[in-house]
């Protein structure tokens, strides 16, 4: 039932819905129609569009086939072409990179190091661009190896700078290192190469000479150390080897000097050009520049120290004591020049070189000086004391040994001490030889073209001078300054400020036994040899100033020995001191004692029991010389060898004058702490040379006059006469005859040797003094004497003085007061005589005693006599 109901219900609802739908359809019919029209219109439009599209597609197909496909094909081909061109370029670059090593090798052969490094760096940069290609990885490794090879060759090129600096070459090397960014490394390497260059250079030079002298190519020398190699250099090849050694070292130092110059110049240029660059790059450049500058400055001292050590090893490797003097001087000259180089190079005083050459020099000079002293002894013992005729204008500067003093009259100083007062700047060795040459080139060691012209042919320098000897003698120009003085204080050497009158000169000419000769210096061959030795010693001292004291000490020994020999030959006489005349001053006696103790070997033979120290001391001494047997000093006709005595003594005085002339030069090179020695040598030794005249000529004066005969004649005179006599005694005439004979002999001697005025004055003074003292001694021998006898004594003495003044120009007469005072003392009273005895101690005890005894009975009683004799005894007691 229910389904039916439901069906009815559903039918009813369907009818209602259908009705409603039908209503709606009817309601929407117009809209439907209208919309249907629109659809129909749209369909028509779509059909039209389909036709248009069909036509368009047809036209597009026509266009595609006719134009677009061809054009796009061209564009695609063009793009492909561009890609292929880039690929070709890359391939060409890769090909170039593959072939770069050939070009790099060419550039290295051309020494274009900056270009090679620039190319290598560019290749590395390019290789990094194409690193996506598999072939490039191998190329990168190859380029790195090539760059390292370039650095190695660059290091080799840098080492070549050390021996032969080339501006262009060094500029390329520095540019190359700058491109590598290794400026500091380059400087470190450079100093290492310089050190190595010094070692290799000296070794090869010495090895070459050693092998050359050995005469074989034995490789054993190449295995030796440099120090051991130096000991195999022969004496003959020593100097050439030293010269070549210094020349090679000079080249190394010159290269370093020019390297510093290069950096100074380029630093200035870089500073100017870097003013506009960026700050970071400038700071880095300045840092490198400061490092290089400091490194170069420190390297100066280091390199010079290496040079010194190498030369020192060479110097000490050979014993130079066997070398000839000229060869040793040449060695000193080379080392002196090398020290000058060192001072200019880095301001060094070359202490290492100075000490090594000082050791060699002192060792050499001791042996050399010992040999020269032995030679001097031989010369002195064979010297006949004949005059060596030299010209009147002779000067030691004319001798070859003193030629070095002509260039600079003041002692030479090192370049650093040269005064800067000269208008032009002093040119250093580096500036002088920078462009070429070498300061150590061996020059031919020949003498100057001009020869020594110091000897006179026959005692006269020319016939004209011989003819006009007297006329020239009248000229003041030939009178030595010493003789132009009225007198010379023997203590100070000063002369009074007083004009010399013509009369004084005339009187001197009359007393100077030299009118037949030009006033040439008096010297012997031995003197000349000593002067030459002094010149050689000064040469060595001038070259090597550190041994100046040793050289001057040895020079003083030459003078000491010469002075001692003259004294020993001609002045030694023990009886001289007993006269009490002070013929030998205390200074002279001290000097002679010092020479005898320090220089003279008085032992005849060596004592085998003597100590080693004593033996060493004796080695430093020289045996006392002995006068040649050819020299005769006992003949009265020759005034007991007066000519020889004059030549010997005056040659010593001349030698002393030359030492005085050289004193400023010696003082300038003498170390300050040693100058007291030099001053003492001159004040105690050189200045005493002229003092030897007195004891030497006293011996002649003591024998030239027969004083004993005079005493015998005086003893025969009766002095107790009762009346005043008007006639003098015979002994006065005899004494005057002796003086006349002495004067004639003096003239004869002067024909052989010029007798200078001081010598003739001393001779006359000695003779007169001896005569006067003999007169006093004769008067002291008188047993009895009256007042008239005393008057006779005065008459005799006045007669003697009157005649004597005609023979000599010496004024006042020596010891004139000595005689007159003694004669007048006879008339003194007791008290006056006692005071007189105490005041006049120049008389002997015998003379004073005789004076008192003779006065006994006349005006002195016995009591007074005892008192006066006691006073005489008191005076004599301290002398005992």
């Amino acid at each position: 039932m229910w389904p039916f109901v439901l069906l009815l219900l559903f039918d009813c609802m369907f009818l209602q819905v259908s009705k409603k739908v039908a209503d709606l359809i009817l309601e929407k019919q117009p809209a439907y129609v209208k919309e249907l029209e629109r659809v129909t219109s749209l369909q028509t439009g779509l059909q039209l569009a389909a036709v248009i599209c069909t036509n368009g597609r047809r036209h597009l197909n026509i266009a595609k086939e006719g134009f677009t496909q061809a054009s796009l094909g061209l564009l695609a081909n063009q793009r492909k072409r561009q890609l292929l061109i880039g690929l070709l370029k890359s391939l060409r670059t890769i090909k170039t990179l593959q072939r770069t090593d050939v070009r790099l090798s060419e550039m290295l052969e051309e020494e274009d190091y900056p270009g090679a490094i620039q190319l290598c760096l560019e290749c590395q940069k390019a290789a990094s661009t194409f690193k996506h290609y598999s072939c490039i990885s191998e190329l990168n490794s190859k380029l790195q190896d090539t760059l390292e090879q370039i650095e190695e060759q660059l290091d080799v090129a840098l080492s070549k700078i050390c021996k032969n600096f080339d501006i262009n070459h060094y500029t390329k090397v520095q540019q190359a290192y700058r491109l590598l960014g290794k400026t500091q490394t380059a400087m470190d390497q450079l100093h290492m190469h310089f050190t190595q260059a010094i070692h290799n250079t000296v070794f090869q030079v010495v090895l070459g000479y050693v092998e050359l002298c050995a005469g074989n190519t034995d490789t054993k020398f190449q295995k030796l150390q440099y120090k051991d190699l130096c000991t195999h250099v022969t004496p003959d090849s020593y100097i050439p080897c030293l010269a070549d050694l210094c020349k090679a070292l000079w080249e190394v130092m010159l290269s370093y000097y020019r390297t510093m110059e290069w950096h100074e110049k380029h630093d200035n240029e870089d500073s100017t050009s870097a003013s506009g660059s960026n700050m970071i790059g400038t700071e880095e450049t300045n840092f490198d520049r400061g490092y290089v500058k400091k490194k170069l400055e420190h390297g100066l001292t280091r390199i010079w120290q290496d040079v010194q050590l190498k030369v020192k090893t060479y110097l000490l490797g050979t014993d130079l004591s066997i070398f000839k003097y000229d060869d040793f001087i040449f060695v000193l000259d080379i080392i002196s020049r090398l020290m000058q180089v060192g001072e200019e190079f880095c301001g060094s005083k070359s202490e290492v070189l100075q000490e090594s050459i000082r050791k060699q020099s002192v060792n050499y000079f001791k042996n050399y000086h010992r040999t020269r002293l032995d030679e001097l002894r031989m010369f002195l013992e064979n010297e006949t004391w004949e005059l060596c005729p030299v010209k009147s204008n002779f000067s030691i500067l004319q001798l070859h040994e003193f030629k070095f003093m002509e260039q600079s009259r003041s002692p030479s100083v090192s370049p650093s001490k040269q005064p800067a007062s000269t208008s032009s700047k002093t040119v250093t060795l580096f500036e002088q030889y920078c462009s070429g040459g070498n300061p150590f080139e061996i020059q031919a060691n020949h003498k100057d073209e001009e020869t020594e012209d110091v000897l006179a042919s026959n005692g006269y320098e020319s016939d004209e001078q011989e003819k006009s000897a007297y006329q020239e003698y009248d000229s003041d120009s030939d009178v030595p300054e010493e003789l132009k003085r009225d007198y010379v204080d023997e203590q100070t050497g000063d002369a009074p400020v007083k004009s010399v009158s013509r009369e004084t000169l005339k009187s001197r000419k009359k007393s100077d036994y030299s009118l037949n000769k030009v006033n040439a210096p008096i010297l012997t061959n031995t003197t000349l040899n000593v002067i030459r030795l002094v010149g050689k010693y000064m040469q060595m001292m001038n070259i090597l100033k550190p041994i100046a004291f040793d050289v001057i000490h040895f020079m003083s020994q030459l003078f000491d020995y010469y002075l001692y020999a003259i004294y020993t030959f001609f002045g030694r006489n023990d009886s001289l001191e007993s006269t009490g005349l002070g013929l030998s001053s205390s200074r002279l006696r001290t000097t002679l004692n010092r020479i005898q103790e320090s220089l003279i070997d008085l032992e005849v033979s060596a004592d085998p029991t003597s100590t080693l120290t004593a033996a060493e001391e004796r080695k430093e001494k020289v045996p006392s010389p002995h006068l040649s047997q050819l020299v005769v000093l006992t003949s009265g006709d020759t005034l007991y060898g007066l000519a020889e005595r004059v030549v010997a003594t005056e040659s010593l005085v001349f030698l002393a004058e030359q030492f005085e002339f050289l004193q400023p030069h010696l003082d300038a090179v003498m170390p300050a702490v040693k100058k007291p020695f030099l001053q003492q040598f001159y004040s105690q030794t050189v200045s005493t040379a002229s003092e030897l005249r007195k004891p030497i000529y006293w011996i002649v004066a003591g024998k030239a006059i027969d004083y004993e005969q005079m005493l015998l004649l005086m003893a025969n005179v009766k002095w107790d006469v009762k009346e005043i006599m008007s006639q003098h005694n015979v002994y006065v005439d005899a004494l005057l005859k002796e003086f006349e004979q002495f004067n004639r002999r003096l003239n004869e001697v002067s024909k052989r040797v010029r007798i200078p005025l001081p010598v003739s004055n001393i001779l006359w003074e000695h003779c007169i003094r001896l005569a006067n003292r003999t007169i006093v001694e004769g008067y002291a021998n008188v047993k009895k004497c009256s007042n008239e006898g005393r008057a006779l004594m005065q008459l005799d003495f006045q007669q003697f003085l009157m005649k004597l003044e005609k023979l000599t120009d010496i004024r006042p007469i020596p010891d004139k007061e000595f005689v007159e005072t003694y004669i007048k003392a006879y008339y003194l009273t007791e008290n006056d005589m006692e005071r007189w005895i105490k005041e006049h101690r120049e008389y002997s005890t015998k003379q004073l005693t005789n004076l008192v005894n003779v006065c006994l009975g006349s005006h002195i009683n016995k009591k007074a006599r005892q008192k006066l004799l006691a006073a005489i005894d008191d005076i004599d007691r301290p002398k005992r």
Side-chain angles (χ1 to χ4, degrees):
M1 177 81 184
W2 283 100
F4 180 74
V5 173
L6 289 172
L7 184 61
L8 284 177
L9 286 174
F10 181 73
D11 287 339
C12 287
M13 289 177 65
F14 181 73
L15 288 173
Q16 289 180 356
V17 170
S18 298
K19 184 180 179 186
K20 195 169 185 179
V21 169
D23 291 339
L24 285 172
I25 291 171
L26 289 175
E27 184 182 352
K28 297 294 182 181
Q29 181 66 32
Y32 169 75
V33 174
K34 187 177 179 179
E35 191 65 31
L36 185 61
E37 289 176 353
R38 286 180 60 195
V39 170
T40 303
S41 176
L42 179 62
Q43 183 178 2
T44 303
L46 288 174
Q47 290 174 350
L48 179 61
V51 173
I52 292 172
C53 286
T54 301
N55 291 334
R57 284 175 178 166
R58 186 175 67 250
H59 286 95
L60 284 175
N61 287 331
I62 293 171
K64 177 181 178 183
E65 293 175 358
F67 174 74
T68 303
Q69 190 172 4
S71 297
L72 290 176
L74 286 174
L75 290 175
N77 290 336
Q78 178 62 25
R79 181 172 176 275
K80 191 181 293 184
R81 181 175 179 273
Q82 291 296 329
L83 291 173
L84 290 174
I85 288 174
L87 178 60
L88 181 61
K89 185 178 181 180
S90 297
L91 291 174
R92 285 176 177 171
T93 302
I94 293 172
K95 182 181 179 181
T96 303
L97 291 175
Q98 295 285 359
R99 299 177 59 185
T100 300
D101 57 339
V102 178
R103 178 56 187 154
L104 285 173
S105 299
E106 293 175 354
M107 297 179 78
L108 290 176
E109 288 179 2
E110 296 170 359
E111 296 185 348
D112 184 10
Y113 304 108
I117 291 176
Q118 186 71 39
L119 178 59
C120 194
L121 293 175
E122 290 175 357
C123 288
Q124 283 187 324
K125 185 178 180 181
S128 65
T129 305
F130 299 106
K131 62 183 177 180
H132 51 280
Y133 294 107
S134 59
C135 62
I136 290 300
S137 59
E138 183 181 348
L139 180 62
N140 252 331
S141 176
K142 186 177 180 181
L143 285 173
Q144 186 61 37
D145 294 340
T146 303
L147 190 60
E148 291 176 1
Q149 182 184 353
I150 292 175
E151 288 190 31
E152 290 177 2
Q153 293 198 25
L154 194 59
D155 190 54
V156 174
L158 185 65
S159 66
K160 294 179 181 178
I161 297 297
C162 301
K163 293 185 180 180
N164 186 17
F165 183 87
D166 181 81
I167 293 179
N168 296 328
H169 182 77
Y170 189 68
T171 303
K172 291 178 182 179
V173 172
Q174 282 297 321
Q175 288 176 352
Y177 274 110
R178 192 172 297 177
L179 287 172
L180 291 173
K182 295 184 176 182
T183 305
Q184 297 182 19
T185 304
M187 195 49 54
D188 295 337
Q189 287 293 106
L190 181 64
H191 281 82
M192 183 186 71
H193 287 312
F194 268 105
T195 303
Q196 192 65 29
I198 292 173
H199 174 77
N200 292 341
T201 298
V202 297
F203 188 85
Q204 290 302 322
V205 170
V206 176
L207 177 64
Y209 275 92
V210 170
E211 290 183 342
L212 180 66
C213 296
N216 55 52
T217 57
D218 194 347
T219 57
K220 68 175 182 179
F221 294 120
Q222 297 180 358
K223 299 177 182 178
L224 293 176
Q225 293 291 326
Y226 173 70
K227 182 178 181 180
D228 299 327
L229 191 64
C230 290
T231 60
H232 289 80
V233 179
T234 62
D236 292 338
S237 61
Y238 186 86
I239 291 178
C241 182
L242 177 61
D244 286 347
L245 198 66
C246 291
K247 283 194 287 186
L249 291 172
W250 161 261
E251 295 296 340
V252 175
M253 288 186 286
L254 179 62
S255 294
Y256 195 89
Y257 173 82
R258 296 184 67 186
T259 300
M260 291 193 67
E261 273 192 336
W262 186 94
H263 279 280
E264 289 177 2
K265 178 181 177 182
H266 283 74
D267 284 351
N268 295 333
E269 293 177 357
D270 291 346
S271 299
T272 305
S273 61
S275 58
S277 62
N278 61 74
M279 185 62 67
I280 298 177
T282 302
E283 289 180 358
E284 185 177 352
T285 303
N286 289 339
F287 178 78
D288 286 344
R289 190 181 300 124
Y291 178 86
V292 169
K293 183 178 180 181
K294 187 177 294 184
K295 192 76 175 178
L296 286 171
E297 289 175 350
H298 290 172
L300 284 170
T301 306
R302 177 183 170 185
I303 287 176
W304 177 241
Q305 189 71 9
D306 289 342
V307 170
Q308 284 192 91
L309 291 174
K310 296 299 181 184
V311 177
K312 172 190 175 182
T313 303
Y314 181 83
L315 283 175
L316 299 180
T318 302
D319 183 10
L320 302 184
S321 61
I322 61 174
F323 276 38
K324 295 180 181 178
Y325 174 81
D326 292 337
D327 291 340
F328 188 76
I329 286 294
F330 196 81
V331 171
L332 291 186
D333 194 25
I334 292 176
I335 299 303
S336 176
R337 179 61 61 93
L338 185 62
M339 288 192 288
Q340 182 183 349
V341 169
E343 187 163 1
E344 294 178 2
F345 186 67
C346 61
S348 171
K349 298 301 180 184
S350 308
E351 290 83 359
V352 175
L353 272 181
Q354 286 191 16
E355 179 60 23
S356 58
I357 198 64
R358 191 193 70 81
K359 287 181 180 178
Q360 284 284 30
S361 298
V362 171
N363 181 42
Y364 174 85
F365 208 66
K366 280 184 178 179
N367 293 330
Y368 180 80
H369 177 64
R370 174 67 200 193
T371 305
R372 300 291 81 78
L373 279 178
D374 289 337
E375 286 183 359
L376 178 57
R377 178 170 68 92
M378 181 187 69
F379 278 126
L380 289 169
E381 291 182 345
N382 290 279
E383 179 65 67
T384 57
W385 304 105
E386 295 290 335
L387 186 66
C388 177
V390 294
K391 294 189 175 184
S392 59
N393 63 348
F394 170 75
S395 167
I396 60 173
L397 296 178
Q398 297 168 350
L399 301 175
H400 287 301
E401 289 77 8
F402 291 90
K403 289 294 183 183
F404 72 94
M405 292 178 61
E406 286 189 342
Q407 300 172 357
S408 174
R409 288 302 177 93
S410 60
S412 60
V413 294
S414 61
S416 64
K417 298 179 182 178
Q418 289 282 3
S421 59
T422 55
S423 58
S424 60
K425 182 183 177 182
T426 304
V427 179
T428 65
L429 292 174
F430 287 96
E431 294 170 343
Q432 183 178 352
Y433 294 98
C434 187
S435 57
N438 196 300
F440 297 99
E441 290 288 347
I442 296 181
Q443 301 293 333
N445 190 22
H446 56 76
K447 296 286 185 181
D448 297 339
E449 290 184 4
E450 59 176 271
T451 58
E452 291 180 348
D453 187 18
V454 297
L455 299 180
S457 57
N458 57 353
Y460 298 100
E461 298 180 27
S462 66
D463 293 338
E464 288 74 12
Q465 284 185 341
E466 183 174 3
K467 293 177 182 177
S468 60
Y470 285 94
Q471 289 83 345
E472 287 187 358
Y473 192 80
D474 286 337
S475 172
D476 291 356
S477 62
D478 282 339
V479 180
E481 289 298 327
E482 181 184 358
L483 302 186
K484 290 181 182 178
R485 305 176 183 176
D486 276 349
Y487 70 89
V488 177
D489 189 334
E490 292 186 2
Q491 298 298 322
T492 64
D494 296 332
V497 181
K498 180 180 177 182
S499 61
V500 182
S501 65
R502 189 71 178 175
E503 288 72 16
T504 304
L505 286 176
K506 285 183 178 179
S507 66
R508 286 176 181 170
K509 289 187 294 181
K510 186 175 180 181
S511 299
D512 191 350
Y513 294 84
S514 59
L515 294 179
N516 61 331
K517 297 283 183 182
V518 177
N519 279 346
I522 297 177
L523 67 157
T524 67
N525 288 325
T526 303
T527 318
L528 208 54
N529 284 329
V530 172
I531 292 173
R532 290 185 188 276
L533 271 181
V534 169
K536 289 182 177 181
Y537 284 24
M538 289 190 66
Q539 280 182 32
M540 184 176 296
M541 179 175 59
N542 190 59
I543 294 173
L544 193 64
K545 295 176 180 60
I547 66 166
F549 169 71
D550 301 281
V551 176
I552 293 176
H553 174 65
F554 291 145
M555 283 173 56
S556 70
Q557 287 188 347
L558 292 176
F559 187 86
D560 287 347
Y561 195 70
Y562 194 88
L563 183 147
Y564 186 82
I566 301 300
Y567 169 75
T568 304
F569 293 166
F570 304 105
R572 175 173 285 172
N573 193 330
D574 296 335
S575 63
L576 291 180
E577 301 306 324
S578 63
T579 60
L581 298 177
L583 297 175
S584 298
S585 65
S586 60
R587 182 174 62 170
L588 178 59
R589 290 194 300 273
T590 302
T591 297
L592 291 170
N593 290 333
R594 176 189 62 79
I595 296 173
Q596 182 169 297
E597 292 174 3
S598 63
L599 188 60
I600 306 303
D601 183 8
L602 299 176
E603 298 183 29
V604 179
S605 59
D607 184 4
T609 61
S610 61
T611 63
L612 182 62
T613 305
E616 288 295 326
E617 290 180 357
R618 290 192 66 238
K619 282 181 65 177
E620 302 295 327
K621 297 184 177 182
V622 190
S624 180
H626 303 286
L627 183 64
S628 171
Q629 295 180 355
L630 299 176
V631 180
V632 180
L633 303 179
T634 55
S635 174
D637 295 336
T638 61
L639 279 180
Y640 305 94
L642 178 61
E644 289 79 4
R645 294 176 190 272
V646 169
V647 171
T649 309
E650 300 312 303
S651 69
L652 174 65
V653 173
F654 178 78
L655 184 61
E657 291 171 354
Q658 306 318 302
F659 269 82
E660 294 284 358
F661 169 73
L662 297 172
Q663 184 177 6
H665 302 268
L666 301 180
D667 188 68
V669 297
M670 187 67 142
V673 295
K674 299 293 185 179
K675 285 191 176 182
F677 166 82
L678 186 65
Q679 295 168 358
Q680 185 178 9
F681 168 66
Y682 273 92
S683 62
Q684 299 295 328
T685 306
V686 176
S687 60
T688 61
S690 59
E691 295 181 13
L692 270 183
R693 285 170 168 164
K694 284 189 175 181
I696 290 176
Y697 297 134
W698 178 270
I699 296 174
V700 175
K703 298 177 180 179
I705 307 295
D706 192 352
Y707 304 103
E708 294 297 328
Q709 178 65 25
M710 188 174 67
L711 285 175
L712 292 175
L713 292 175
M714 293 179 71
N716 295 327
V717 176
K718 187 177 181 180
W719 297 104
D720 54 346
V721 293
K722 299 302 182 181
E723 57 183 22
I724 297 177
M725 307 296 292
S726 60
Q727 181 64 33
H728 62 273
N729 286 302
V730 178
Y731 75 88
V732 176
D733 295 328
L735 182 58
L736 289 171
K737 285 183 180 180
E738 290 284 334
F739 272 100
E740 290 173 356
Q741 184 180 8
F742 169 73
N743 191 28
R744 286 193 298 271
R745 289 177 176 175
L746 209 55
N747 275 299
E748 290 297 322
V749 172
S750 70
K751 294 177 182 180
R752 289 180 54 200
V753 177
R754 177 176 66 88
I755 301 179
L757 178 63
V759 176
S760 63
N761 285 347
I762 288 176
L763 282 167
W764 276 101
E765 180 182 343
H766 282 343
C767 289
I768 294 171
R769 180 171 277 117
L770 280 170
N772 286 336
R773 290 181 178 266
T774 303
I775 291 174
V776 171
E777 187 65 22
Y779 293 161
N781 291 332
V782 175
K783 301 299 181 183
K784 295 181 180 180
C785 182
S786 60
N787 289 338
E788 292 78 7
R790 287 293 173 186
L792 180 59
M793 290 181 182
Q794 288 182 337
L795 175 65
D796 290 345
F797 187 62
Q798 292 302 321
Q799 178 69 20
F800 170 68
L801 292 178
M802 182 181 66
K803 297 289 185 180
L804 184 64
E805 287 176 350
K806 295 180 180 180
L807 294 175
T808 179
D809 293 317
I810 293 180
R811 300 292 185 275
I813 297 297
D815 281 353
K816 175 183 176 182
E817 294 80 5
F818 184 79
V819 180
E820 292 177 340
T821 303
Y822 188 79
I823 296 174
K824 293 175 181 177
Y826 177 82
Y827 302 104
L828 296 176
T829 62
E830 174 187 342
N831 294 332
D832 291 338
M833 182 169 287
E834 183 178 2
R835 185 172 60 253
W836 183 89
I837 289 173
K838 293 179 180 180
E839 292 175 354
H840 292 79
R841 301 191 177 189
E842 65 269 23
Y843 298 101
S844 67
T845 302
K846 173 193 172 184
Q847 293 167 350
L848 295 174
T849 302
N850 179 269
L851 181 64
V852 173
N853 289 333
V854 170
C855 293
L856 180 65
S858 59
H859 56 281
I860 293 179
N861 54 35
K862 291 184 178 181
K863 184 178 179 181
R865 173 177 172 272
Q866 293 298 327
K867 182 180 179 182
L868 292 174
L869 290 177
I872 294 172
D873 188 63
D874 290 341
I875 295 173
D876 186 57
R877 188 175 293 113
K879 298 179 183 179
R880 297 171 186 171

